[in-house]
């Protein structure tokens, strides 16, 4: 119908998001695979470089993974599934894609 004004819907607020680039090391405690040190980097390239370097000299650290995560800056909520950038050695099944 001409001239009929529909109520306007409020615009969705754009939440501030951030990309995080994280390297997670894994260590063995007995037979159990445990989280080791977690490090955050400014770029995917830096995270991959660190994970590759750690992967080249596995010892006490038995595995390492670099991931990209998108998070809501205000709440810290992870908005998307993490993207695995690189992985080396022994890592948990959920990270290995098994």
């Amino acid at each position: 119908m001409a001239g009929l004004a529909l109520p306007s819907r409020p615009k969705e607020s754009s939440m501030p998001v951030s990309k995080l680039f994280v390297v997670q090391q894994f260590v063995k405690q007995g037979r159990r695979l445990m989280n080791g040190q977690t490090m955050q980097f400014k770029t995917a390239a830096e995270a991959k470089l660190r994970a590759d370097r750690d992967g080249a000299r596995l010892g006490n650290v038995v595995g390492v993974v670099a991931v990209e995560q998108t998070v809501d800056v205000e709440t810290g909520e992870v908005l998307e599934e993490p993207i695995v950038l690189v992985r080396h050695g022994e890592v948990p099944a959920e990270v290995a894609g098994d």
Side-chain angles (χ1 to χ4, degrees):
M1 293 187 205
L4 181 61
L6 297 174
S8 63
R9 294 173 49 168
K11 291 184 179 177
E12 289 185 29
S13 64
S14 61
M15 64 180 100
V17 298
S18 179
K19 297 263 187 208
L20 300 180
F21 304 99
V22 178
V23 171
Q24 176 66 59
Q25 296 177 340
F26 299 96
V27 297
K28 282 274 186 137
Q29 265 189 351
R31 301 181 95 185
R32 294 182 60 200
L33 192 58
M34 308 291 289
N35 288 348
Q37 185 177 0
T38 303
M39 298 158 276
Q40 188 171 329
F41 294 87
K42 292 180 181 180
T43 67
E46 289 174 350
K48 287 194 259 189
L49 185 65
R50 175 58 190 250
D52 286 341
R53 191 171 72 229
D54 288 353
R57 54 187 175 93
L58 295 176
N60 289 339
V61 173
V62 297
V64 62
V65 64
V67 297
E68 174 183 322
Q69 290 185 304
T70 303
V71 297
D72 179 323
V73 174
E74 292 176 353
T75 65
E77 177 185 1
V78 176
L79 301 174
E80 299 174 4
E81 286 294 316
I83 298 167
V84 175
L85 302 172
V86 66
R87 63 180 155 252
H88 298 286
E90 223 177 311
V91 297
E94 61 270 14
V95 175
D98 296 340

